[in-house]
Amino acid sequence: MYFIYSLLLGLGLIILLPRFILDAFRHGKYVTGFGERLGSLAPIANEGRPVVWIHCVSVGEVQAARPLLQGIKDRFPNHLIVVSTITRTGQNVAHDVFKHHAAKVFYFPFDWRWIVRRTLKAINPDAVLVLETELWPGFLRECTHQNIPVALVNGRLSEQSFRRYRLIKPFMRRVLSSLDLAIMQTERDARRIRSLGMAPEKTFVFGSMKFDAGATGHADSLTSEFRQRFKLSDQSPLIVAASTHDPEEVLVLNSFRQVISRSKANPRLLIAPRHPERFAEVVDLLNASGLRWVRRSAPPDARDEQATVILLDTIGELPSVYPLASIVFVGGSIAQTGGHNILEPAAAGVPVIVGPHTYNFQSIVETFVKAKAIVQLQPMSDSATIVELADVILELLGDDGRCSELAGMAQKLMSENRGATERTLRAINSLLATPATVGESASSFRAKSAPVA
């Protein structure tokens, strides 16, 4: 099965190669870090110190890993921590967030055995922690062969992913046998991964570490910079459209036009596209909108204070913007990409709006909706969505009591659901304290933690 998987991986690369080349020329994707993806890494000079490898896919996982990495450093100050990502945006944020904490930040290798071996030889990890559901069969298999324990932490398994994995269930059972632990966010996630073949005695439910990662929501120096540069104030409420995808920018801009025409206030809009390669596309939309707009990445200018729309064409700055917002729409939820993290704006005490497609954060959004701590739009046509989004924004702008109720309940839920990182750290303590074989590590985990019922 692994041989067939490698062949299919190679075939997929050949088929998609023209697209990769086009994206490389147009947006610089896949070019950065290509050598690292091929396993070309300078060896870690660990001087006999244990190495913990934390793998994150992109920005969301990097942010979620912050309290985990800090917890490991506090408990094991002699350990070296390295961080890998797959996306360029994740790499940029990881370099920024972990510049004082990680011994190395690098790109995850392509999943062919010879490449994985080169990377493992350079990193020489004593343990690997994989965030969410990054199940690379070749990598996990090689870790097993080299007796490197691997734990899946903050794991989640959406219904869409589960359906795909279920088609290759016999193979997935073999892949999952390479995991010492699967620490899942919810009971639903745990049921799905167990049904694919994960051993029940190795499966645990500890909640989402994103509640811990997004726990602060405090203003910082960058928040002050935004406030001063763009003259953001309570007299001009700021609507933030965060992590947007196509066609959400068009819908948000059309909704915002209605808000401007119907509001007595002087609202302003900040748009933060999810992917940097779409910045130019959104620039074209803004040029065609007729609205006054500016770019965050441009040098400060007198027009910044008067701009109706701000394009946040930078990476990693959204958390600093949230304390300035009056309302936040979290994208990827109208565009049917599964939605993005609602916890950071919620922690900042800002009312949050999402679209109907939030399967990436299904349990969290369901909890917030049930507690009336968030506003979720229903599935409808684009034209109806434009009107509904404008109506909701106008309603919130005109009702301070409703905004306070939403923000207060959201922060209450944040407080009640913290602690997943601490529970995870306790579960993996023996793995990090004493590098062991896969079987020995699993036994230690079972002795120190209670399995899912």
Side-chain angles (χ1 to χ4, degrees):
M1 286 292 288
Y2 284 95
F3 177 71
I4 296 174
Y5 163 75
S6 296
L7 286 178
L8 291 175
L9 193 64
L11 180 61
L13 177 62
I14 293 172
I15 293 173
L16 294 174
L17 188 59
R19 174 63 184 273
F20 292 157
I21 293 174
L22 179 62
D23 285 344
F25 275 108
R26 292 176 60 188
H27 309 299
K29 292 181 69 175
Y30 314 116
V31 176
T32 306
F34 189 74
E36 293 183 351
R37 298 179 198 269
L38 289 174
S40 179
L41 290 166
I44 296 290
N46 63 344
E47 299 177 345
R49 299 166 63 184
V51 176
V52 180
W53 178 347
I54 300 177
H55 174 55
C56 313
V57 184
S58 191
V59 176
E61 292 76 22
V62 169
Q63 298 289 6
R66 287 181 301 157
L68 178 67
L69 187 145
Q70 187 59 55
I72 293 172
K73 288 188 68 67
D74 291 343
R75 284 167 170 76
F76 305 100
N78 192 49
H79 285 43
L80 292 179
I81 301 175
V82 300
V83 177
S84 65
T85 74
I86 287 181
T87 69
R88 185 175 59 176
T89 53
Q91 189 78 186
N92 292 339
V93 173
H95 273 287
D96 181 53
V97 171
F98 300 134
K99 58 187 174 184
H100 301 304
H101 304 290
K104 192 176 190 65
V105 176
F106 59 100
Y107 282 96
F108 192 77
F110 293 127
D111 202 34
W112 283 289
R113 193 171 189 179
W114 64 276
I115 295 177
V116 171
R117 283 180 172 175
R118 290 183 68 191
T119 304
L120 289 174
K121 183 178 180 180
I123 302 300
N124 192 25
D126 294 276
V128 177
L129 307 179
V130 178
L131 264 77
E132 304 220 352
T133 318
E134 275 290 281
L135 302 175
W136 291 99
F139 176 78
L140 295 177
R141 184 190 192 198
E142 192 58 34
C143 285
T144 298
H145 285 172
Q146 297 190 26
N147 287 331
I148 302 169
V150 181
L152 176 66
V153 299
N154 208 46
R156 64 180 176 89
L157 193 58
S158 70
E159 179 63 30
Q160 287 80 357
S161 296
F162 175 62
R163 285 200 297 264
R164 291 195 296 268
Y165 284 142
R166 197 164 50 186
L167 297 174
I168 51 171
K169 185 174 179 179
F171 181 54
M172 288 307 302
R173 183 181 296 276
R174 294 183 63 183
V175 171
L176 293 172
S177 69
S178 296
L179 293 175
D180 291 82
L181 260 185
I183 299 176
M184 310 304 287
Q185 295 183 22
T186 69
E187 294 284 353
R188 182 188 290 124
D189 296 315
R191 286 196 300 271
R192 287 169 179 164
I193 200 166
R194 286 201 310 270
S195 71
L196 291 175
M198 186 68 201
E201 67 273 13
K202 297 180 182 180
T203 308
F204 304 83
V205 177
F206 289 161
S208 174
M209 292 195 303
K210 289 186 175 179
F211 281 100
D212 301 320
T216 58
H218 297 317
D220 55 22
S221 59
L222 191 55
T223 305
S224 299
E225 179 186 333
F226 272 99
R227 181 185 289 111
Q228 294 171 9
R229 173 177 170 177
F230 299 103
K231 287 297 181 287
L232 301 172
S233 67
D234 295 338
Q235 284 68 45
S236 297
L238 179 67
I239 315 302
V240 173
S243 300
T244 55
H245 295 248
D246 179 36
E248 289 173 334
E249 294 88 6
V250 172
L251 303 182
V252 167
L253 284 169
N254 285 327
S255 289
F256 185 64
R257 287 177 179 279
Q258 294 192 19
V259 171
I260 292 175
S261 65
R262 296 162 57 189
S263 175
K264 296 180 181 179
N266 184 30
R268 301 174 74 182
L269 174 67
L270 183 144
I271 298 180
R274 178 68 174 182
H275 297 119
E277 59 266 25
R278 295 193 58 250
F279 289 162
E281 176 186 339
V282 179
V283 165
D284 291 340
L285 293 175
L286 290 169
N287 284 332
S289 72
L291 298 169
R292 290 176 299 178
W293 70 277
V294 292
R295 305 176 71 133
R296 157 62 176 162
S297 64
D301 187 276
R303 292 172 296 178
D304 293 341
E305 301 179 11
Q306 303 300 322
T308 305
V309 182
I310 302 165
L311 173 62
L312 188 64
D313 55 345
T314 55
I315 301 299
E317 294 188 336
L318 258 178
S320 298
V321 172
Y322 289 141
L324 301 170
S326 298
I327 298 168
V328 173
F329 163 74
V330 178
S333 54
I334 294 176
Q336 300 189 38
T337 59
H340 295 293
N341 189 1
I342 67 169
L343 299 179
E344 286 181 337
V350 184
V352 177
I353 303 171
V354 294
H357 308 291
T358 55
Y359 54 79
N360 286 337
F361 296 86
Q362 184 176 358
S363 178
I364 292 174
V365 172
E366 286 177 353
T367 300
F368 272 65
V369 169
K370 184 177 180 180
K372 297 181 179 180
I374 195 172
V375 178
Q376 183 168 32
L377 306 179
Q378 298 303 307
M380 59 187 76
S381 66
D382 286 353
S383 58
T385 296
I386 291 169
V387 175
E388 180 66 14
L389 181 58
D391 288 345
V392 171
I393 291 173
L394 285 163
E395 178 188 351
L396 293 175
L397 290 179
D399 191 341
D400 292 340
R402 175 89 189 282
C403 288
S404 296
E405 288 177 6
L406 285 167
M409 183 55 68
Q411 291 184 311
K412 180 173 182 289
L413 289 177
M414 292 286 296
S415 178
E416 291 174 348
N417 286 277
R418 290 171 191 158
T421 303
E422 178 61 31
R423 291 187 286 272
T424 298
L425 287 166
R426 288 200 298 266
I428 64 175
N429 184 75
S430 59
L431 178 149
L432 301 182
T434 308
T437 64
V438 171
E440 289 168 343
S441 297
S443 298
S444 298
F445 291 144
R446 290 194 293 272
K448 289 181 175 288
S449 304
V452 175

